[in-house]
Each structure stands twice: as C-alpha cells, then as structure tokens.
Amino acid sequence: MNREHESRGVRYRVIQPPDVEEMTTFLADTFSRAEPMGHALSLPGEVVRRVVSVFAPRAVEDGLTLVARDAGTGEMVGALLAGDFAAPPPEGIDTVDERFRPVATLLEELDARYRAGRRMPPGEYLHLAMLGVSPAAAGRRVGQNLMELCMENGARRGYRTAVAEATGRVSRHICRKHGFVERLTCPYGSFRFEGRPVFASIRGHEAVVLMDRSLLDLGLPRDPEGGTGAPP
C-alpha cells in the first residue's frame, strides 16, 4: 500500500512519522475507554499510551500499521497497529507500567500456545495487534477497511498468515467477517493473574479469542518495493 486509499470520506495510509504521536494517543484512549480488559482494570490512558509508544518506532520502520483520517478535517478516526508476529519484544517493553501486566500476561500466554509447534520465521505471520475506531466514524466501515487494507498491505509484503487476538464482541465479529478462524480461547472468568480473577467483572464479552486466516487466498503479488516483510 504505497499510496493513500479513500472510501466514504476517509483516507487510509501506512503510518508515517508525523502520525505517530496522534496514533499513540488515539489508540491509548480507545483501549482504556472501550476495550474490555482496559475498562475492567480502569487503566488510565497514559498507561496504555506508554505501551503503544514502545511499539510505535517499529511500526514506522516495518510499514505494516495503518491510520485513517477524515478526508475533510484531517482528524484521525481510526488506526490498526500491526507488526511481525515473529519479532522479539521491542526495546523498552520492560518499562511498561505494572498496571498493564495482567493484559500483557494473558495475551502472551495465548500467543505462546499458538506459537508452540509452529515454525515461525520473520516475514510470514502478520500480527493485527490493536484496532481503534472513533465513535464519530460509526457507519463508515473504518474498522473493516483498516482490516482489509492492512491484510492486503501485508500480503504484498510477503506475509502468508494474519493473526489477531479478538478481545471483544465487535473485534471478533469483524475478524469473522474477514475470514478469520478461531484457534484458541482464554475465558475472562477463568484467567488468574497472581492468583486473582482480575477480569471476572467483564460482562458481555466471554473471552479473548486468538484467530487467524491465510493471506494467500487474497491472490496479491508481492510488491517489489515493499520489502520482505521482515523487520530490519
């Protein structure tokens, strides 16, 4: 995806350096306000912002993350943080606030179960890590378009499989619509962090579901200018 794509008055593009600060704040606000785990833990936006900021430099380098802006106002209305599922943790991840550890632990355990027994070289598994959409963009298919364009961008860079952790009903529904298959689940009610049922208060969302789908059926040729997909 080497140029902007526009649909229903929204422009989509691969993240650029000027987008980083706004994307970081945007996703932090979305996660702390609307994501089931963030809401259950009452995570302040600043805690989540630190997490996103750790991944932001890599997002610019690998060219897998997409942002969406209103074509008229230029305001950011959506973002999909994506990366290489085989990449090691980014520098600075050990400095993330302790309050985020229950979320990180649940996701890490689920991801480890998925990786077990799989050969996972860099450049093959595209990780759709965090999707955020502004309520002001409702009805404009921003989440769906971000998902579609992100997968197309990854496929053109040589990725063969897309992986996502759906933490709520909406993200699970979007993934299903785009051909994702459920592989692993971690029910909120049974998860324990340091012996405590930290997500037992979550209602209306049963579990985190790890899902995947092949990108080969998109039938897209590799972009010769897109690189191999592997992080530098």
Side-chain angles (χ1 to χ4, degrees), residues 148-206:
E148 291 171 6
L149 292 169
C150 187
M151 290 193 295
E152 290 175 8
N153 180 54
R156 292 186 184 279
R157 290 171 176 266
Y159 284 86
R160 301 165 64 87
T161 302
V163 182
E165 303 98 349
T167 64
R169 289 176 300 173
V170 174
S171 56
R172 195 170 176 177
H173 176 68
I174 292 175
C175 285
R176 281 174 173 165
K177 285 184 65 176
H178 287 87
F180 281 76
V181 177
E182 299 179 9
R183 299 301 183 188
L184 297 165
T185 63
C186 181
Y188 287 123
S190 63
F191 177 75
R192 297 292 186 273
F193 176 76
E194 298 180 345
R196 295 176 291 117
V198 291
F199 298 129
S201 65
I202 294 177
R203 297 289 182 269
H205 307 278
E206 299 176 0

Side-chain angles (χ1 to χ4, degrees), residues 4-43:
E4 290 188 353
H5 173 88
E6 184 169 336
S7 175
R8 297 191 183 185
V10 178
R11 290 178 182 156
Y12 303 83
R13 73 175 185 186
V14 172
I15 190 171
Q16 302 297 315
D19 301 317
V20 169
E21 190 70 21
E22 189 175 357
M23 181 209 69
T24 301
T25 300
F26 180 87
L27 286 178
D29 176 68
T30 301
F31 190 96
S32 59
R33 173 175 46 81
E35 197 281 330
M37 292 187 287
H39 183 73
L41 296 174
S42 298
L43 289 177

Side-chain angles (χ1 to χ4, degrees), residues 50-55 58 88-98 100-101 104 108:
R50 174 57 186 161
V51 176
V52 180
S53 68
V54 169
F55 287 89
R58 181 179 289 177
E91 183 177 350
I93 194 66
D94 55 339
T95 66
V96 169
D97 194 294
E98 287 291 309
F100 194 80
R101 282 186 59 211
E108 287 167 3

Side-chain angles (χ1 to χ4, degrees), residues 12 60 74 85 99 113 141 149 168 176 195 206 213 220:
Y12 303 83
V60 174
F85 198 65
R99 287 171 287 182
R113 287 168 57 194
R141 295 191 79 253
L149 292 169
R176 281 174 173 165
E206 299 176 0
R213 65 151 291 171
L220 297 173

